[in-house]
Amino acid sequence: MNIFERLILVVNPKAALNRAYYKQLCRSYYDAAGRTRDNWARGNTTGELTDRAARDTVRSRARALERNDDSFKGIILDLERNVVGTGAVLQAKTKNAGGEEDDELNTRIEREWNRWCRKGFCTVDRRWSFRDVQRLFVRRGYVDGGLLCVMCQIDGEFRIQLREVDELDKTVFSYGKNRVVSGVEIDSYDAAVAYHFRRYDVSGSWTGELQRIPADRVIFFAQLQRVSQVREFSPAASCLIRMDGLSQLTDAAITKEKVQACFGVAIEQEAPLSGVPSIGRGVQMQGKPADSPTEFLEPGMIKYLRPGEKVAPISSSGVSSTADNMIKSVLRQAGAGAGLSYEAATRDMSQVNYSSARQGMLQDRRTYADWQTGLIESVLDPIFFAWLEWAVLSGRVKIPDYWSSPEEYGSHVWIMPGMDWIDPIKEANANKIALDNNLTTLQQVCAAKGQDWREVIDQRAREVRYIKNTIGDDEIAKE
């Protein structure tokens, strides 16, 4: 109960009770925000009303698992590793007047872009490279439900500023004729017009600064599942209760094994002892009566019991024996909630063969591709087009007639990280057959492996020339 609710309680207890009731009712739309599933709500409300009360609670619990739970962190790392990997690579695709690719201009654009993507150049705090930025969008997208990026210019340089969803100001409800929903200003069509921020320092204290930033300068990478949602919601919500329970189960199983590992001896006495010398570790000291109960165990301990006392161990044989199957079941559900197979979520390949592993990998790659598409459309493309405008205006990239057709000069593709197959020989033969029958292109084959087809051809040409110059054509023919 916060300070405002305590004041209501003093003035009007009935109103405070009603507020607490409806607040809990809204929160219970998500099991991850409630205490149990006994009050599982089946209300039919708008997406924003359903999410609003539970959003902060679910986010904080997801962050707690991110910090403390190995399995939950493993799912996050799998998404980062396969969606971003070494980072998306820009391939400019501008064309000259003859309709051919303008290699010189494309090279200049790519060179300047790669320079900007380095650590210290792309973000206002100079702490992140652009690959790190992509990784943060995926991580925060899964855990928090979203991340914001403000595009700005500082000292004539184009920069981006990353801002977490916590910074959106929930105390503003209107601005002019527009509504403000949890920090997002929307018009009559529910389109975002601006974003309202509260500025916090690194210690979490509000600096007193309020900001309203137009929507055309802000990229909001939000995980939305309903049309009526305005703000983000963590996609990990459905697995939080089970993952937290799994952590408790694991802790209980470890505690049980530790107790069983503490082998000790309890000696029952027929009459009180005195003057018995001490033996071993944790035993009764000489002349000390056995009048204190034992609350802690340690390996090799010897405990003297008082006359009439007996040892009655509490058996819990079922914990460790069922923990393994329970852990696998929960992790399989958690992976399914993220769109991943059990093997991808846990990297446990002990129960698969080639066919099942390949089928699972195909489905996992569709999940990664879906994340990559969202990252490209919502983050990479807007940032690249804004950067290219700045590069042209600042003279970094000289394109005299850029404003006549900015879309054409901004033509590009993103090469996402490549993924190897279980059997590379079969995959290589399949690619060769597809190329020979014009069913694919070298660009598509190289892009699937995270490579630029032009760089591959140029490198192979250099290698062939080097081989010819080194050993000669006659030696090559003999080979």
Side-chain angles (χ1 to χ4, degrees):
M1 184 176 291
N2 55 40
I3 297 177
F4 177 69
E5 292 170 341
R6 292 181 185 275
L7 292 175
I8 298 177
L9 181 63
V10 175
V11 178
N12 191 338
K14 183 177 180 180
L17 181 62
N18 287 334
R19 176 181 171 85
Y21 170 75
Y22 286 108
K23 185 177 179 180
Q24 179 60 33
L25 182 63
C26 290
R27 179 178 294 149
S28 62
Y29 284 126
Y30 284 91
D31 292 339
R35 296 182 179 178
T36 65
R37 297 188 64 176
D38 297 337
N39 61 342
W40 190 15
R42 296 176 176 84
N44 196 19
T45 62
T46 64
E48 189 58 30
L49 180 60
T50 301
D51 297 346
R52 186 180 302 163
R55 184 180 288 119
D56 293 344
T57 302
V58 171
R59 186 193 313 125
S60 64
R61 294 181 179 180
R63 288 175 176 175
L65 285 178
E66 176 191 12
R67 292 189 300 267
N68 302 308
D69 189 87
D70 298 328
S71 301
F72 190 75
K73 187 179 293 185
I75 295 176
I76 300 172
L77 292 175
D78 181 80
L79 289 173
E80 286 184 347
R81 187 168 52 245
N82 291 282
V83 174
V84 176
T86 56
V89 177
L90 173 73
Q91 187 176 87
K93 304 288 287 185
T94 60
K95 295 182 179 180
N96 54 30
E100 299 293 330
E101 288 193 11
D102 192 335
D103 292 336
E104 182 181 353
L105 177 58
N106 290 334
T107 300
R108 288 205 312 268
I109 293 175
E110 292 171 3
R111 182 176 62 249
E112 289 297 325
W113 170 260
N114 292 332
R115 187 193 73 84
W116 180 83
C117 288
R118 292 181 297 171
K119 181 178 179 179
F121 289 85
C122 58
T123 61
V124 295
D125 56 12
R126 304 180 185 275
R127 293 189 297 156
W128 310 95
S129 68
F130 196 61
R131 187 197 76 88
D132 297 330
V133 170
Q134 298 170 52
R135 178 176 55 83
L136 282 171
F137 269 103
V138 173
R139 175 178 285 263
R140 301 269 58 88
Y142 180 71
V143 178
D144 298 347
L147 183 67
L148 296 111
C149 169
V150 180
M151 297 178 288
C152 52
Q153 289 193 35
I154 299 178
D155 298 330
E157 298 291 328
F158 179 76
R159 296 282 188 268
I160 57 176
Q161 181 184 30
L162 301 179
R163 308 190 72 163
E164 293 188 334
V165 292
D166 310 65
E167 297 185 56
L168 287 171
D169 189 355
K170 295 183 293 184
T171 64
V172 181
F173 301 100
S174 65
Y175 188 88
K177 296 182 180 180
N178 295 329
R179 291 181 58 201
V180 180
V181 180
S182 298
V184 182
E185 183 180 334
I186 58 176
D187 60 16
S188 58
Y189 297 98
D190 294 340
V193 176
Y195 293 87
H196 295 254
F197 292 95
R198 295 170 71 92
R199 187 65 176 165
Y200 296 90
D201 59 23
V202 291
S203 63
S205 301
W206 179 39
T207 62
E209 180 183 358
L210 298 176
Q211 292 179 313
R212 178 185 180 272
I213 303 178
D216 58 0
R217 288 182 51 204
V218 179
I219 295 173
F220 190 10
F221 182 66
Q223 300 296 308
L224 305 176
Q225 286 83 35
R226 294 183 61 182
V227 176
S228 53
Q229 279 183 270
V230 177
R231 285 276 305 272
E232 82 296 337
F233 200 85
S234 173
S238 59
C239 75
L240 296 185
I241 289 181
R242 281 181 288 273
M243 295 297 287
D244 183 60
L246 178 62
S247 296
Q248 297 181 37
L249 172 66
T250 305
D251 291 342
I254 292 174
T255 301
K256 181 205 168 187
E257 296 299 330
K258 289 169 64 177
V259 170
Q260 289 184 339
C262 293
F263 177 79
V265 177
I267 301 177
E268 183 179 357
Q269 305 177 83
E270 295 182 357
L273 296 179
S274 61
V276 178
S278 61
I279 304 175
R281 197 172 157 203
V283 301
Q284 294 296 128
M285 301 301 295
Q286 182 174 359
K288 182 179 178 181
D291 56 354
S292 58
T294 300
E295 297 180 354
F296 300 97
L297 299 177
E298 57 182 334
M301 68 174 293
I302 300 176
K303 174 68 177 177
Y304 283 86
L305 305 179
R306 289 178 293 189
E309 291 183 339
K310 294 183 180 295
V311 177
I314 299 176
S315 176
S316 57
S317 59
V319 177
S320 299
S321 60
T322 59
D324 186 59
N325 291 333
M326 184 64 69
I327 290 172
K328 290 180 178 180
S329 176
V330 172
L331 292 179
R332 184 174 287 108
Q333 293 181 64
L340 302 174
S341 63
Y342 167 78
E343 290 73 26
T346 63
R347 303 183 70 179
D348 178 9
M349 304 296 173
S350 61
Q351 301 178 3
V352 297
N353 53 33
Y354 174 80
S355 298
S356 61
R358 190 177 189 279
Q359 184 63 30
M361 185 180 293
L362 287 173
Q363 298 301 318
D364 293 334
R365 290 191 174 186
R366 290 188 174 95
T367 297
Y368 305 141
D370 183 60
W371 274 89
Q372 290 171 345
T373 301
L375 193 65
I376 290 173
E377 294 177 347
S378 301
V379 180
L380 302 186
D381 281 352
I383 290 178
F384 171 71
F385 283 118
W387 170 86
L388 185 59
E389 287 188 5
W390 165 81
V392 173
L393 289 172
S394 63
R396 298 277 185 180
V397 178
K398 299 185 182 300
I399 307 177
D401 59 339
Y402 171 79
W403 300 107
S404 63
S405 53
E407 289 291 334
E408 293 183 9
Y409 284 111
S411 298
H412 66 281
V413 295
W414 295 99
I415 300 177
M416 304 307 290
M419 299 181 186
D420 294 326
W421 287 95
I422 300 173
D423 193 334
I425 296 178
K426 292 182 179 180
E427 191 64 24
N429 290 332
N431 287 333
K432 182 178 183 302
I433 294 173
L435 284 169
D436 292 342
N437 290 277
N438 297 319
L439 299 177
T440 188
T441 64
L442 185 60
Q443 179 183 0
Q444 292 175 328
V445 173
C446 292
K449 297 181 69 63
Q451 299 172 326
D452 185 334
W453 67 278
R454 291 177 299 186
E455 292 181 357
V456 171
I457 293 178
D458 292 342
Q459 180 62 28
R460 284 296 298 141
R462 286 193 294 268
E463 292 173 353
V464 171
R465 286 196 300 269
Y466 180 81
I467 293 173
K468 289 182 178 180
N469 294 334
T470 303
I471 63 177
D473 294 337
D474 295 336
E475 295 295 329
I476 295 177
K478 292 179 180 179
E479 295 291 335

